[in-house]
Structures are given as C-alpha cells and as structure tokens.
Amino acid sequence: MISGSLRLFVVDEFEEHTIRFGYKNNLIAVLDSFLNEQPSDFYVQALKQCELKVIKKSKYMDFIFSSKENIKMWQLILESFVLQQMERERDILTSSPIERYNRVLKRSPQLFQEIPSKYIASYLRMTPETLSRIKKS
C-alpha cells in the first residue's frame, strides 16, 4: 500500500467485525483467499483514498522463490502475521477492554490518527461508546 488506509472485516448476521487494518507501506491481503485461491468471507474496505500496488499471486510467488533471501523474507512475513494473530486472539479472549485499548495504543499509535473510532471499536470488540469512555479516562 502506497497511501491511505484499509480495513479487513467479516460480517455475521448482526454486525461487521474488523479483523485488521492496513496503512502506508503495509502488505495487505485476504490471506485465506491468497493461500487457498478460493473466495473468502472477508471483505476489504478503503477507509481513506488509497493508492495501491497490486500483484498477481503467480508473479509474487515467482519473486519469492527467485532467491533464498526472498524466501526468508516471506517466511518472516508469515511468522509475524501468525504471531500478531495469536496476540490478538489472546487479547480478545483474556484482556479487559481497557487493556486491549492500551495494548493497541502502544503497538499502533497511528491507528488513532488514521482510522475512524467506530472501526477501532469494532477491532477492539467493544461499542463505540465504550471506546469513547476509555479514551476520556
């Protein structure tokens, strides 16, 4: 992503659930669809006007397998993604709303400049009202 901001989300019968965000200089993909080459239940939405670089999977994988350094880079990207997802799942399951807010604020302060509060609240699994109260305290 060259500029702008995106969110990745899923919809259940009642609401949208934001899973992750993308910003300038991020690699963003609907990873399940990328890996298994099947349609996904996840959606990508631009939250600000975006400029993106797009590459077909075949060309990307040709690039990855063109050198040992690129393979190592891809492995590190996937490892980082898995660790981020595990941390997020642990936070959602075991942390209070205040703890989740503080952890995200520390880890990604740009989130609060780039992303509207209603999507941050969705990401943190709380209502926008709860997020507002936490930010004021």
Side-chain angles (χ1 to χ4, degrees):
M1 171 180 277
I2 297 168
S3 65
S5 57
L6 299 169
R7 77 177 177 124
L8 183 67
F9 68 100
V10 65
V11 179
D12 69 18
E13 62 183 283
F14 302 109
E15 62 186 307
E16 297 176 353
H17 302 281
T18 301
I19 306 301
R20 61 188 304 114
F21 298 101
Y23 317 98
K24 181 179 179 179
N25 299 325
N26 279 165
L27 176 67
I28 189 152
V30 179
L31 198 55
D32 64 334
S33 182
F34 178 84
L35 294 172
N36 67 24
E37 299 181 5
Q38 297 294 316
S40 177
D41 293 335
F42 293 95
Y43 297 89
V44 178
Q45 177 185 24
L47 300 176
K48 288 187 176 179
Q49 185 169 342
C50 296
E51 185 178 349
L52 307 171
K53 286 187 179 182
V54 179
I55 187 169
K56 290 182 181 267
K57 180 181 179 179
S58 59
K59 288 207 179 265
Y60 183 75
M61 296 314 289
D62 287 346
F63 168 75
I64 294 301
F65 291 115
S66 68
S67 73
K68 288 183 180 182
E69 293 82 17
N70 292 350
I71 292 170
K72 181 66 176 169
M73 175 192 65
W74 179 234
Q75 180 180 358
L76 292 172
I77 289 169
L78 291 175
E79 287 174 3
S80 175
F81 179 76
V82 168
L83 292 172
Q84 289 171 24
Q85 284 303 111
M86 291 178 74
E87 180 180 329
R88 175 166 163 65
E89 287 177 25
R90 184 181 59 245
D91 274 357
I92 289 168
L93 294 171
T94 64
S95 300
S96 71
I98 293 171
E99 290 170 325
R100 291 194 303 269
Y101 169 81
N102 286 330
R103 214 177 321 267
V104 168
L105 181 60
K106 181 180 178 185
R107 184 178 59 230
S108 303
Q110 79 276 16
L111 180 77
F112 296 89
Q113 278 73 51
E114 296 277 330
I115 306 298
S117 290
K118 71 178 186 175
Y119 300 122
I120 296 171
S122 170
Y123 177 75
L124 293 172
R125 297 294 189 267
M126 61 181 70
T127 66
E129 295 79 17
T130 299
L131 177 59
S132 179
R133 280 192 298 276
I134 290 171
K135 286 167 85 174
K136 288 178 183 176
S137 64

